Amino acid sequence: MTAQGSTGRLLAKLVASVPATIGAPDVRARIAAYYASYAAGDVAGREALFSDDCLVEDPAGYVVARGAEALHRFFVEGIPPDWSVAFRLDRVAVVGNEAVATTLSVIDAGARGGLENVVTTHFVFDDAGLIRSLRTFFDADSMNDPSTN
């Protein structure tokens, strides 16, 4: 989708003027790889997307990892082995080295049941294109039982 009017061109020019050391296509590709790694069960691939000094808050305000070692523990121990987690990536907005992604998280928690949850995630990338900071946002109003279609 491209903004057609002069207002859209003005806003697009404003966004393009924000300094960035990595391109928007690379940011989008890394975010897509992050979410795809859950369905694939690719913890190593997911970890490789992060800087060694990363900060992860899930949800925002609740720090689950500072640094690579804590991140590994979170990815390995934070999701019980009988759960499966997948994401449908709906939208990514990129400005400079930052992005916000909106997804539908689909969790199958085994005997505990399932959950669909709209999640908005704020990503900050370092100059090498690695995720330096990740903060997820969701609340009870965004959660529901999975579709039975």
Side-chain angles (χ1 to χ4, degrees):
M1 180 184 337
T2 303
Q4 299 299 318
S6 61
T7 303
R9 285 191 298 274
L10 176 65
L11 292 176
K13 189 174 182 179
L14 177 65
V15 169
S17 72
V18 174
T21 57
I22 55 174
D26 290 336
V27 168
R28 284 178 175 36
R30 287 177 172 94
I31 289 172
Y34 169 76
Y35 288 116
S37 74
Y38 281 91
D42 184 7
V43 173
R46 188 176 324 136
E47 290 174 343
L49 297 168
F50 286 81
S51 67
D52 288 340
D53 63 346
C54 65
L55 172 65
V56 176
E57 299 176 45
D58 190 3
Y62 186 74
V63 176
V64 295
R66 286 185 195 273
E69 186 177 315
L71 183 69
H72 176 75
R73 275 195 313 275
F74 173 66
F75 285 152
V76 172
E77 299 170 8
I79 300 173
D82 65 332
W83 289 24
S84 69
V85 179
F87 291 89
R88 183 189 73 210
L89 180 58
D90 291 333
R91 170 105 169 71
V92 177
V94 180
V95 178
N97 280 14
E98 300 186 38
V100 177
T102 303
T103 61
L104 179 68
S105 163
V106 181
I107 299 170
D108 179 349
R112 291 184 175 166
L115 174 71
E116 290 181 345
N117 187 19
V118 176
V119 179
T120 301
T121 304
H122 176 230
F123 295 84
V124 177
F125 291 84
D126 66 13
D127 290 345
L130 297 173
I131 301 168
R132 187 178 72 217
S133 171
L134 180 147
R135 302 180 80 211
T136 65
F137 294 80
F138 55 89
D139 61 16
D141 289 344
S142 71
M143 299 177 191
N144 61 51
D145 294 329
S147 307
T148 56
N149 298 350

